[in-house]
Amino acid sequence: MTIAPSIDIHSHFYPREFLDLIEKQGNRYSVRCSFEDPAGPVIEMNGHRLLPLDERYFDLEARLRSMDDQGVDMHALSLTIPMVYWAPGDLSRQLSEVFNDACMEAHEQYPDRFVGLAMLPMQEPSLAIAELGRVENNPAIRGVYMATRIGERELSDPVFFDVYERIEDLGLTIFLHPVTVVDPDRLKRFYLTNFIGNPTESAIAASHLIFGEVLDRFPKLSICLPHAGGSFPFLIGRISHGWSVRQECQHLERSPSDYLRRFHFDTITHSPSALDYLLQLVGADRVVMGSDFCFDMSYEQPVKIVTEHPSLDDEKRALISVSYTHLRAHETRHDLVCRLLLE
């Protein structure tokens, strides 16, 4: 079997310049970065400490060695906690700029190995549009990275519509990812913030995009959900039934299930049977490879999840090549820029 080029849509990246800026200016906003631990930089947000970041998060050479070991050809670089929404406008802009600049530099240095998902200061939509304008023509930028909610605002808030319109016009995909989770106090123990909180956030965000009529208002807007859509694919029957019987949902003309294929979903299920269900539900052409690089919750061998999955035949795996072409060719990135690699 010919192995198509592999692109990891879900690969986290902390540029050293981003970490330095948090160290210098984040403390007054309860976000910190310490370089005292010999195991690596430690980020703390509102009292929540991440594990020390190993060098693969910020050192491109170390990252490339790991990618080669995994058989991954390209990373779509994206941020993660703490993102930038905690910061006031100007600092949020600076944080976005240093991250995006690092993505562009990585692509310039290794154009066949790295592209970037732009970080935008979404809590200040005018600044978000300005930053998008600054980076939109750079060949490194192939999508936009966005939280499942922006501060206390849901993604259905009309304040974001001008940003969505510009993203849609550019043909960029939005890759969503949680930064805070619903009811975190109940989830503090046992790392349930990740196990349960993150997948739940994807379901909430997708539902707001549907019921808030964002997907109707922007019919070409492309959205990719992390962690295989979280609980959303497994709740779609219940959500659709609720739409059919609840008065609160009657403004929506079509069933929520009709919107499933408006989304892409990464492969991170940690369950072959769950991935089977997702493939049957939305089709292989709506599923893309992701690893969650390089957290402990990540896939160590994301390519094997695809190539060794019994439900994927050669024809479906061949779609990886199509996805790879869309991701690499800046001028053809419209529509399925995010169809990175699965089938």
Side-chain angles (χ1 to χ4, degrees):
M1 180 185 70
T2 300
I3 303 298
S6 57
I7 305 169
D8 187 345
I9 185 63
H10 193 155
S11 53
H12 298 300
F13 176 48
Y14 287 104
R16 181 59 187 252
E17 298 85 355
F18 180 86
L19 299 175
D20 288 342
L21 190 53
I22 291 178
E23 181 192 32
K24 292 175 183 176
Q25 300 195 41
N27 191 53
R28 73 187 79 170
Y29 308 107
S30 300
V31 178
R32 301 173 179 85
C33 182
S34 169
F35 293 92
E36 297 177 358
D37 193 316
V42 176
I43 293 174
E44 181 178 342
M45 182 178 184
N46 299 326
H48 172 66
R49 291 169 60 90
L50 296 182
L51 294 174
L53 303 174
D54 74 49
E55 62 179 352
R56 294 176 296 168
Y57 282 108
F58 49 84
D59 184 283
L60 294 182
E61 300 301 328
R63 178 179 286 259
L64 284 168
R65 289 193 293 271
S66 187
M67 291 167 64
D68 289 342
D69 289 342
Q70 294 178 340
V72 171
D73 295 300
M74 180 178 280
H75 272 177
L77 302 171
S78 61
L79 203 54
T80 186
I81 188 172
M83 295 196 196
V84 303
Y85 312 129
W86 52 269
D90 189 60
L91 178 56
S92 182
R93 175 191 59 79
Q94 293 178 58
L95 290 162
S96 298
E97 286 183 358
V98 298
F99 176 79
N100 296 336
D101 286 349
C103 290
M104 292 187 288
E105 291 167 5
H107 178 75
E108 183 176 1
Q109 189 173 358
Y110 298 101
D112 292 326
R113 305 304 301 272
F114 299 118
V115 293
L117 303 179
M119 190 75 235
L120 303 178
M122 287 291 295
Q123 75 276 30
E124 297 279 352
S126 62
L127 295 180
I129 291 173
E131 176 60 10
L132 188 57
R134 188 182 75 89
V135 303
E136 65 184 38
N137 291 319
N138 190 286
I141 302 303
R142 308 301 172 86
V144 171
Y145 189 67
M146 193 178 296
T148 49
R149 60 176 168 171
I150 312 299
E152 296 302 314
R153 294 181 183 272
E154 300 296 347
L155 298 183
S156 53
D157 195 310
V159 72
F160 303 127
F161 285 4
D162 287 347
V163 185
Y164 296 152
E165 182 177 20
R166 186 64 187 136
I167 293 171
E168 182 184 49
D169 288 344
L170 292 169
L172 294 171
T173 289
I174 298 173
F175 183 79
L176 296 180
H177 196 284
V179 65
T180 56
V181 300
V182 63
D183 204 358
D185 288 342
R186 291 188 66 201
L187 303 177
K188 284 182 179 178
R189 296 185 67 194
F190 315 119
Y191 205 43
L192 298 183
T193 49
N194 185 287
F195 305 162
I196 296 174
N198 280 1
T200 302
E201 278 295 313
S202 290
I204 295 172
S207 297
H208 272 284
L209 291 170
I210 293 170
F211 286 109
E213 299 181 280
V214 175
L215 299 183
D216 289 330
R217 187 182 184 95
F218 304 100
K220 294 183 179 180
L221 189 64
S222 176
I223 308 286
C224 185
L225 299 176
H227 313 120
S231 56
F232 176 59
F234 299 90
L235 292 174
I236 192 61
R238 182 177 181 85
I239 293 169
S240 297
H241 175 75
W243 164 80
S244 72
V245 299
R246 294 297 304 183
Q247 186 62 36
E248 302 94 324
C249 304
Q250 295 307 299
H251 64 284
L252 199 66
E253 294 184 0
R254 294 187 292 149
S255 169
S257 62
D258 291 344
Y259 294 85
L260 272 171
R261 284 180 53 81
R262 283 294 306 277
F263 298 96
H264 287 86
F265 304 79
D266 74 20
T267 53
I268 305 172
T269 61
H270 296 285
S271 165
S273 58
L275 184 54
D276 269 339
Y277 169 75
L278 181 65
L279 290 165
Q280 293 169 18
L281 184 70
V282 301
D285 62 318
R286 307 308 289 181
V287 182
V288 299
M289 193 187 79
S291 72
D292 219 341
F293 185 95
C294 49
F295 285 106
D296 54 3
M297 290 296 293
S298 69
Y299 281 146
E300 288 295 327
Q301 295 294 329
V303 175
K304 289 184 179 180
I305 298 298
V306 175
T307 59
E308 298 181 2
H309 197 282
S311 294
L312 296 174
D313 57 25
D314 289 354
E315 182 179 355
K316 291 178 179 178
R317 292 187 181 101
L319 289 173
I320 300 173
S321 298
V322 175
S323 304
Y324 183 77
T325 300
H326 277 283
L327 190 69
R328 293 187 63 194
H330 193 257
E331 67 276 6
T332 62
R333 66 187 179 182
H334 189 281
D335 191 16
L336 294 186
V337 63
C338 184
R339 198 202 293 172
L340 300 173
L341 55 254
L342 162 69
E343 317 45 58

